[in-house]
Amino acid sequence: MAVSSSLFTTSLQGSMVAPKTLKCHREYMCSPSNVSCRQSGYSKSMYLAHSRLLPSGKLSKWEQTDGFSSKDRIQCCAVQVENAPSFSVGKKFQLDDVIEALQFDRDILGAIFEVASEMEKIEKNSPGSQILKGYLMATLFYEPSTRTRLSFESAMKRLGGEVLTTENAREFSSAAKGETLEDTIRTIEGYSDIIVMRHFESGAAKRAAVTAGIPIINAGDGPGQHPTQALLDVYTIERELGKLDGIKVGLVGDLANGRTVRSLAYLLAKYQDVKIYFVSPDVVKMKDDIKDYLTSKGVEWEESADLMEVASKCDIVYQTRIQKERFGERIDQYVQARGKYIVDQNVLNVMQKHAVVMHPLPRLDEITVDVDRDPRAAYFRQAKNGLYIRMALLKLLLVGW
């Protein structure tokens, strides 16, 4: 399921919200008493997004039991909007899937953060929320996860939805029998309304999205991307600093294999006057594709071997773990890289008072435990923010704005 443009339908009164040029996309059948059309267990709002609904002339089970005859049905024409604004074009969320950080523009990011802020209020004040009652989320994780999987499952349950879950699907699912990812996705989409997937291969989430007729959320695909982590990281930066423009960010650690830093770099490029410092051992330097992308977007970046100097300049020190699982048999290189850059009290001493330390977790020894006591240690607040971002994404993908 590729990312689609926003679409509109004619209303029952014949009026149309139609900025700029419109062209007819596809026809669907709608109930006159309810402007939304439904398919695969979830509603499509009057702002239709893509062709997952039943085509004109075919009655769904819902239509057959909704108490209206064929002659009473109203034909709704979905029309594609060209040159539409990137945000606030309707109730339908602009994206069908969340696969990579490049999908988001600055307006959508700001709007998602507003929804996340509302989700925080719901989590704290409305434990019985039923926003997603009746929806099922499947979590399909081929790699180990604690925070990401549990935060998604918590997010779904806090909004009244239910969860189907599998952990270590690489070993304990039919993948161990040789089943293709595509067949797995086709099967699981028959059981659920949305799939959250972590996979060991870069690009697997895109393959799943092309296959599936329901939303796919990429919860990390090998050394590729981790877009929901990047969203919560940027949300955390805004909450901690009060701004996203004009900041300096130090990305430290495993930059070659770290999907979190790759995705974060893509999102930081959306903002003005951002400078990024790359601090890493030689064997895990940031790859050229990210550097080239930042250059193409006019984002200043610099490589450095001096963590202390970078920490003294930056608003954010974003530390990451050296990922042993990405080294394979190159254990000597892992040993060489691990422990070279550690955030400790000495680093805190040179950091500015307003600056914060972030980490996607889990950590090993790259941040010493005494740092936890410093109010600038934001990584556990960062992890909690992941709940609000994921609540927001589930709500947006399943029921819209």
Side-chain angles (χ1 to χ4, degrees):
M1 174 174 58
V3 177
S4 70
S5 301
S6 301
L7 305 177
F8 289 87
T9 63
T10 52
S11 73
L12 296 179
Q13 291 75 27
S15 62
M16 179 178 289
V17 183
K20 297 192 178 180
T21 306
L22 302 175
K23 61 183 179 182
C24 189
H25 183 64
R26 187 174 288 194
E27 294 181 345
Y28 304 97
M29 304 308 294
C30 302
S31 161
S33 61
N34 186 340
V35 75
S36 66
C37 302
R38 297 176 185 167
Q39 176 268 350
S40 297
Y42 65 96
S43 293
K44 292 292 183 184
S45 73
M46 65 180 291
Y47 302 94
L48 302 176
H50 47 72
S51 57
R52 290 183 184 148
L53 302 183
L54 293 175
S56 175
K58 293 184 180 180
L59 286 177
S60 67
K61 182 178 180 181
W62 164 68
E63 290 173 314
Q64 295 169 7
T65 58
D66 203 42
F68 62 93
S69 65
S70 175
K71 64 183 177 63
D72 291 328
R73 293 194 305 275
I74 292 179
Q75 194 173 70
C76 300
C77 179
V79 288
Q80 186 172 0
V81 180
E82 295 181 347
N83 302 319
S86 60
F87 169 61
S88 293
V89 295
K91 291 184 179 179
K92 177 70 176 69
F93 188 41
Q94 286 84 341
L95 306 177
D96 294 331
D97 311 283
V98 173
I99 304 301
E100 58 184 11
L102 291 167
Q103 291 175 268
F104 302 96
D105 64 29
R106 183 167 175 156
D107 289 339
I108 294 180
L109 288 173
I112 291 172
F113 296 161
E114 289 182 15
V115 177
S117 181
E118 291 301 313
M119 294 300 104
E120 181 172 358
K121 296 175 184 176
I122 288 176
E123 187 262 340
K124 292 179 178 178
N125 303 320
S126 304
S129 173
Q130 297 297 300
I131 292 175
L132 296 183
K133 182 179 180 180
Y135 292 91
L136 277 170
M137 176 187 73
T139 52
L140 181 63
F141 278 62
Y142 290 83
E143 284 190 328
S145 172
T146 302
R147 275 150 297 277
T148 301
R149 184 171 66 88
L150 292 183
S151 67
F152 266 114
E153 293 178 5
S154 175
M156 191 67 174
K157 287 180 175 291
R158 288 186 179 278
L159 292 176
E162 297 294 333
V163 175
L164 306 172
T165 186
T166 179
E167 188 176 15
N168 198 5
R170 188 175 189 176
E171 182 178 353
F172 296 119
S173 76
S174 292
K177 305 174 184 177
E179 182 177 55
T180 66
L181 174 64
E182 286 77 9
D183 281 2
T184 299
I185 293 298
R186 289 188 185 102
T187 301
I188 294 177
E189 73 171 320
Y191 307 149
S192 59
D193 302 298
I194 189 168
I195 298 173
V196 178
M197 188 182 80
R198 169 168 290 186
H199 203 275
F200 50 89
E201 292 181 354
S202 179
K206 287 183 179 180
R207 289 169 53 200
V210 168
T211 302
I214 61 175
I216 299 290
I217 298 180
N218 181 7
D221 57 341
Q225 288 207 37
H226 196 346
T228 67
Q229 178 70 48
L231 288 171
L232 75 90
D233 289 342
V234 176
Y235 182 62
T236 299
I237 292 171
E238 184 178 53
R239 289 173 64 90
E240 296 289 330
L241 300 181
K243 64 176 183 177
L244 288 164
D245 292 316
I247 64 173
K248 295 180 179 179
V249 180
L251 302 181
V252 186
D254 192 340
L255 307 186
N257 302 306
R259 57 196 173 203
T260 62
V261 288
R262 290 175 58 82
S263 295
L264 178 57
Y266 281 126
L267 290 192
L268 289 174
K270 310 291 183 186
Y271 298 93
Q272 300 296 316
D273 301 320
V274 171
K275 181 169 184 178
I276 300 177
Y277 294 88
F278 299 127
V279 183
S280 66
D282 288 340
V283 294
V284 285
K285 283 188 173 183
M286 181 60 80
K287 295 179 179 178
D288 289 340
D289 63 331
I290 296 295
K291 298 174 186 175
D292 293 343
Y293 178 81
L294 294 175
T295 299
S296 72
K297 297 299 180 181
V299 178
E300 187 178 359
W301 59 269
E302 178 182 324
E303 289 187 310
S304 175
D306 191 337
L307 175 59
M308 298 292 281
E309 180 184 3
V310 168
S312 69
K313 299 176 180 178
C314 285
D315 304 289
I316 300 291
V317 174
Y318 192 101
Q319 176 70 290
T320 65
R321 172 179 64 92
I322 304 296
Q323 301 180 58
K324 183 178 181 180
E325 64 272 22
R326 307 294 180 201
F327 282 80
E329 297 180 355
R330 298 171 296 143
I331 299 301
D332 56 330
Q333 293 184 5
Y334 168 73
V335 172
Q336 176 187 349
R338 182 178 173 181
K340 184 168 184 179
Y341 295 109
I342 296 176
V343 174
D344 55 16
Q345 191 61 49
N346 293 326
V347 174
L348 288 178
N349 289 341
V350 302
M351 287 177 59
Q352 302 172 74
K353 296 299 182 183
H354 73 275
V356 296
V357 178
M358 296 173 60
H359 193 302
L361 301 177
R363 68 171 167 184
L364 300 180
D365 54 3
E366 62 273 4
I367 298 179
T368 58
V369 293
D370 59 319
V371 173
D372 298 354
R373 298 190 296 268
D374 195 290
R376 292 171 293 179
Y379 29 89
F380 292 115
R381 298 192 294 274
Q382 177 185 353
K384 185 60 181 285
N385 287 337
L387 173 64
Y388 309 135
I389 286 291
R390 287 160 181 147
M391 288 173 71
L393 290 176
L394 290 173
K395 187 256 185 188
L396 291 170
L397 285 167
L398 288 171
V399 301
W401 293 103

